[in-house]
Amino acid sequence: MVIAPASYHQGIGELVAGIKYRAELAALDMLVMALVERIKQLQRLGLIRLPQAMIAVPLHPNRLRQRGFNQAWLIADTLSRQLGIPMLDKVLVRRVDTRPQAGLTGKQRRRNLADAFILTEPINYQRIALIDDVVTTGTTVQSIAELFAAHYIHLQVWCLARAEAPGLLE
């Protein structure tokens, strides 16, 4: 299940890209607040249960050095403070320095992420939220979800925006 307050292609794509690629963080709190409101709405409607912990999609150390920050970690940190849900850090690691997913086909994305992530220690929770900035094809979250499914952990994916497939909005 992917939870996002907005569409990437209908207004906030530039804000999300600005956070990710140019460290333009002014809109971060506003976008996270929209996500918090969406989560609370779904909880009130009985459609979701809040997770017991959250984990940010990790960057490989090389990418982290290049970018200087992990936008998913910044989002998760803000969410953790606003919702009072602990953030687990360093239990999910990107062990392969993959190419950026942008511009790759679905098949290339799957090949790019094969065995890219590992869990470094057991997780003693049944419900986890995986935090990312944007979900496009879902390849990254699917790759990570398989790790959690092997340990019988229910995974929700929370992101600032969902990028719909080409033609879906027409």
Side-chain angles (χ1 to χ4, degrees), residues 18 22-23 35 38 92 98 108 113 125 128 131:
R22 297 182 300 277
L35 177 55
R38 181 69 175 141
L92 177 65
T98 57
Q108 290 169 327
L113 289 176
Y125 297 104
I128 298 286
I131 313 302

Side-chain angles (χ1 to χ4, degrees), residues 4 9 30 36 51 72 86 100 106 141 149:
H9 299 295
M30 175 197 62
V36 167
V141 297

Side-chain angles (χ1 to χ4, degrees), residues 1-2 57 101 104-106 109-110 113 117 130 132 134-146 155 157 159 161-165:
M1 168 187 292
V2 177
V57 171
Q101 294 284 85
L104 299 180
T105 66
R109 285 172 182 248
R110 287 186 295 279
L113 289 176
F117 299 98
L130 180 67
D132 207 355
V134 62
V135 172
T136 51
T137 64
T139 306
T140 299
V141 297
Q142 182 60 41
S143 177
I144 294 168
E146 291 169 5
L155 192 69
V157 179
C159 59
R162 179 72 201 240
E164 296 82 2

